[in-house]
Amino acid sequence: MFRIADRDFQSRLLIGTGKYSSANVMQESLAASGSELVTLALKRVQLDRPGDDIVTPIQNLGLQLLPNTSGAKTAQEAIFAARLAREALGTHWLKLEIHPDPNYLLPDPIETLNAAEALVKEGFTVLPYCGADPVLCKRLQDVGCAAVMPLGAPIGSNQGLLTRDFLRIIIEQASVPVIVDAGIGAPSHAVEAMEMGADAVLVNTAIATANDPVAMSQAFRNAVIAGRMAYEAGLSQNASLKATASSPLTDFLESL
Amino acid sequence: MRIKINDQGLELTEQSSLAELLSAQNIDTTAIAVALNGKIMHRGHWQQTKLNDGDTITLVQAVAGG
């Protein structure tokens, strides 16, 4: 179990709802993942083509909503998006994301910090998507963010934990939960993050675009559990190029 | 009277409220938020908010996203 702000969660797997082939597959995947915290985005309504209601099925599963501010390029836009999200979904929980760069979708640290500070003052529970910068994560924590969400690799790139050395420092220093977000492309990546001591991971593309998203959800669920168990068990520090026998090798042969 | 919703122009023949406009446009209001001229309008105020010529409305809804 772990806690973000005033809420306890059994599952350490957060799921994004983007890129699924259908609403049904998304729903089944969410259920299979065991996740309790699910991200959503906001979009302008197209009057001639209104979208389906995505919220009710998620709420029917009993999951908590975590709207994001995707699309915001500045702190000002993100703050406006956050207020709209609170109004639309009736939650003050927010995944703050500000990424002005369309190629790599890397988060703008200065705008993110400014927006985070303002939104915390407005009563939001802010979970910022950010670079794997230990100094920035400390600053985000200091302005009152409920967690930090450093990236493993660019969004949707499935490259795994390219930032692993910095994630280690962030985990070592943080006093709020560290949720590794973005870049996790396989259950093995999730295991690595959890073994390192991350409190949780957020996965979207790797599940939604798998051949069988429902089965992949279960794979991630198990991976996160295994990684956390390993972290709590304490990994053996015995790593070297030289072999060390785990069975007695010679005694009984000598007696022959 | 002419207003704009999400940058799309719309002609209204008679004075109407925000709630009446959303209803006339068949908008599912389950998980939407509305801003009028940049100011977010709380759901409870839609009924009493009258629209004026030149108003700009931002209408957003929750969609899938990561």
Side-chain angles (χ1 to χ4, degrees), chain A residues 55-248:
Chain A
V55 176
T56 308
I58 296 172
Q59 283 178 326
N60 286 345
L61 289 169
L63 310 181
Q64 176 158 339
L65 305 176
L66 182 63
N68 69 34
T69 60
S70 184
K73 294 182 171 61
T74 64
Q76 192 187 6
E77 288 176 5
I79 290 166
F80 186 56
R83 292 171 181 158
L84 287 168
R86 178 162 62 182
E87 181 61 29
L89 297 169
T91 176
H92 58 270
W93 283 57
L94 183 77
K95 177 182 169 186
L96 173 63
E97 53 178 301
I98 305 176
H99 35 74
D101 157 33
N103 289 324
Y104 297 100
L105 302 176
L106 293 172
D108 182 318
I110 296 161
E111 297 296 319
T112 302
L113 181 62
N114 289 340
E117 187 166 21
L119 289 167
V120 167
K121 284 180 184 157
E122 286 191 28
F124 283 90
T125 297
V126 180
L127 289 72
Y129 169 60
C130 58
D133 175 348
V135 179
L136 173 64
C137 284
K138 182 88 175 27
R139 293 288 299 273
L140 288 164
Q141 176 184 305
D142 290 346
V143 299
C145 289
V148 288
M149 303 180 79
L151 59 85
I155 294 171
S157 70
N158 287 347
Q159 295 179 89
L161 307 186
L162 300 183
T163 58
R164 58 175 60 76
D165 294 340
F166 294 99
L167 290 173
R168 281 185 203 285
I169 300 172
I170 293 166
I171 291 165
E172 178 193 306
Q173 294 183 338
S175 60
V176 293
V178 178
I179 302 165
V180 177
D181 184 7
I184 292 180
S188 55
H189 303 153
V191 172
E192 184 184 3
M194 298 308 294
E195 283 179 354
M196 232 183 239
D199 294 277
V201 296
L202 194 157
V203 182
N204 188 347
T205 303
I207 294 175
T209 63
N211 284 338
D212 183 344
V214 179
M216 189 58 81
S217 259
Q218 289 168 329
F220 268 99
R221 177 185 197 157
N222 292 334
V224 168
I225 292 169
R228 182 64 189 181
M229 281 178 80
Y231 171 74
E232 288 176 0
L235 292 170
S236 167
Q237 298 303 310
N238 194 358
S240 77
L241 285 174
K242 208 172 157 193
T244 56
S246 39
S247 304

Side-chain angles (χ1 to χ4, degrees), chain B:
Chain B
M1 167 167 90
R2 196 158 179 80
I3 61 162
K4 262 188 180 179
I5 308 182
N6 292 347
D7 297 328
Q8 189 180 322
L10 195 67
E11 195 69 44
L12 300 181
T13 48
E14 55 191 74
Q15 173 88 32
S16 60
S17 71
L18 202 44
E20 286 163 347
L21 173 74
L22 296 176
S23 169
Q25 292 292 319
N26 292 317
I27 305 288
D28 177 358
T29 59
T30 311
I32 68 162
V34 182
L36 177 61
N37 301 323
K39 184 172 180 281
I40 291 166
M41 303 303 293
H42 191 269
R43 196 170 283 267
H45 296 153
W46 294 351
Q47 199 71 50
Q48 70 211 45
T49 302
K50 297 288 175 203
L51 297 174
N52 295 304
D53 191 43
D55 276 349
T56 298
I57 293 165
T58 306
L59 194 58
V60 299
Q61 70 177 151
V63 294

